[in-house]
């Protein structure tokens, strides 16, 4: 009786009418996850910081203050008020480099997810819709990619393509692509024999229309969740490649590269590695919390009434 009353109250609180109702229902279930809301707020703040980095950062990320090498944070002895988080080994402001580093990390995540999601959807739809030899060929290629550890395969690809930010993004996208392809294939196979698809086929819809207009929109919910989680994986992979010296190259203020250039000072000046590590941790945690909230909101089995 209590569950029924709660469900009725929830339905009454959700406005009627099309997209507004759908969004209100989605936000209702999403907002029930406190961690997801916190993650969304933190991620929104990171996006704003990245967009307005030139206005927020107190200094240029590449500006060197030769009289302030390895200056500690302001709350430690020897710290200076003009360098809130201290400076690195060549006198660059840590806070400014972290702020501009958010641009690179979020840009990497966005580009990687867009590329891997797009290519994965295309391959997954083709495999799930046509089946037969098309399905076998695509899935075996995906299985080969998944058979390798992701970081090792990314390293091999970057070694072939050459070090650099663009090549690192391309390698990470190729590594993450099979997850989207397999997920799309499974969703398409589940939807392919539904009545609405058969009706569209009988009405004379072409294969392209059936795949793109009829089936694919009903497969997007799990793909959105996977894209969110892959966003955090892309940031981690890019940071790992940068740390190993094959991703973004110095003096680019990318968080993984900052860790790589500062590791020799980990004992003398721990702040030069602590703050980039915390930035990666907070960003990835926020995105993962958002992914959990999206999963709860999109999956009917997990929705709490």
């Amino acid at each position: 009786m209590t569950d029924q009353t709660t469900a009725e109250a929830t339905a009454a609180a959700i406005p009627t009418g099309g997209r507004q109702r759908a969004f209100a229902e989605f936000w209702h279930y999403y907002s029930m996850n406190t961690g997801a809301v916190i993650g969304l707020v933190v991620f929104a703040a990171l996006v704003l910081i990245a967009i307005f980095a030139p206005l927020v950062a107190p200094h240029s990320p590449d500006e060197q203050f030769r009289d302030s090498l390895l200056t500690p944070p302001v709350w430690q002895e020897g710290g200076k008020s003009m360098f809130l988080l201290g400076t690195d080994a060549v006198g660059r402001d840590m806070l400014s480099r972290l702020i501009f580093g958010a641009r690179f990390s979020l840009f990497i995540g966005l580009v990687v997810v867009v590329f891997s999601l797009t290519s994965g959807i295309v391959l997954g739809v083709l495999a799930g819709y046509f089946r037969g030899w098309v399905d076998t060929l695509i899935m075996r290629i995906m299985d080969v990619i998944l058979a390798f550890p992701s970081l090792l395969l990314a390293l091999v690809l970057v070694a072939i393509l050459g070090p650099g930010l663009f090549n690192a993004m391309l390698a990470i996208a190729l590594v993450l692509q099979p997850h989207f392809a397999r997920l799309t294939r499974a969703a398409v196979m589940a939807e392919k024999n539904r009545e609405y698809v058969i009706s569209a086929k009988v009405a004379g819809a072409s294969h392209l229309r059936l795949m793109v207009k009829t089936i694919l929109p009903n497969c997007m919910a799990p793909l959105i969740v996977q894209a969110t989680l892959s966003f955090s994986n892309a940031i981690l992979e890019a940071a790992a490649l940068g740390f190993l010296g094959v991703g973004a190259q110095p003096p680019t203020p990318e968080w993984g590269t900052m860790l790589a250039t500062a590791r020799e000072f980990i004992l003398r000046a721990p702040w030069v590695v602590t703050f980039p590590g915390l930035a990666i941790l907070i960003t990835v945690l926020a995105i993962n919390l958002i992914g959990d909230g999206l999963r709860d909101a999109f999956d009917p089995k997990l929705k709490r009434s």
Side-chain angles (χ1 to χ4, degrees):
M1 188 69 178
T2 304
D3 292 342
Q4 183 179 359
T5 304
T6 305
E8 291 175 355
T10 300
I14 296 175
T16 57
R19 295 181 179 179
Q20 185 181 4
R21 176 182 172 83
F23 177 78
E25 182 179 3
F26 162 80
W27 178 250
H28 168 74
Y29 289 110
Y30 183 89
S31 61
M32 292 177 70
N33 189 327
T34 305
V37 176
I38 295 174
L40 182 62
V41 172
V42 172
F43 183 73
L46 287 170
V47 171
L48 290 176
I49 289 173
I51 293 174
F52 298 104
L55 301 177
V56 177
H59 306 283
S60 168
D62 297 324
E63 185 178 1
Q64 299 180 8
F65 299 87
R66 288 297 183 177
D67 58 338
S68 301
L69 305 181
L70 292 178
T71 300
V74 67
W75 59 85
Q76 292 187 11
E77 184 180 356
K80 298 181 180 179
S81 59
M82 64 182 299
F83 306 119
L84 295 179
L85 299 183
T87 61
D88 62 10
V90 293
R92 294 173 297 195
D93 180 47
M94 289 293 299
L95 178 59
S96 300
R97 290 182 64 78
L98 288 173
I99 291 173
F100 277 89
R103 278 187 162 188
F104 285 94
S105 293
L106 295 179
F107 176 73
I108 290 169
L110 179 63
V111 171
V112 167
V113 167
V114 169
F115 182 82
S116 57
L117 176 65
T118 304
S119 58
I121 285 178
V122 172
L123 295 175
V125 169
L126 292 174
Y129 185 84
F130 290 109
R131 303 299 305 276
W133 69 268
V134 177
D135 181 28
T136 302
L137 176 62
I138 294 175
M139 285 301 103
R140 294 301 76 78
I141 295 175
M142 298 300 105
D143 289 340
V144 170
I145 296 176
L146 289 172
F148 292 91
S150 59
L151 182 58
L152 177 60
L153 182 57
L155 278 171
V156 172
L157 292 174
V158 172
I160 295 173
L161 299 173
L165 184 59
F166 176 78
N167 290 340
M169 289 191 294
L170 182 60
I172 297 169
L174 291 174
V175 169
L176 295 179
Q177 175 186 280
H179 300 285
F180 293 102
R182 292 173 69 89
L183 188 59
T184 304
R185 171 182 175 268
V188 169
M189 288 172 59
E191 296 290 329
K192 183 180 177 182
N193 296 320
R194 297 286 179 89
E195 292 181 359
Y196 72 92
V197 178
I198 297 175
S199 299
K201 187 182 299 185
V202 171
S206 63
H207 291 305
L208 182 61
R209 182 176 181 82
L210 285 172
M211 289 187 290
V212 177
K213 294 285 188 179
T214 307
I215 298 177
L216 185 57
N218 294 286
C219 304
M220 291 307 297
L223 290 173
I224 293 174
V225 177
Q226 181 62 40
T228 306
L229 299 177
S230 295
F231 198 111
S232 62
N233 287 337
I235 293 175
L236 284 174
E237 297 282 354
L241 292 177
F243 182 78
L244 295 173
V246 293
Q249 300 298 300
T252 304
E254 194 270 328
W255 293 336
T257 305
M258 291 173 64
L259 285 172
T261 56
R263 56 189 169 190
E264 61 182 295
F265 306 103
I266 190 170
L267 296 179
R268 269 199 316 164
W271 59 88
V272 294
V273 293
T274 300
F275 294 127
L278 284 176
I280 296 172
L281 172 65
I282 292 171
T283 303
V284 171
L285 180 59
I287 295 172
N288 286 340
L289 289 174
I290 293 174
D292 289 340
L294 291 176
R295 182 197 60 195
D296 293 347
F298 282 128
D299 192 342
K301 296 178 182 178
L302 298 175
K303 289 180 179 180
R304 294 166 287 184
S305 59

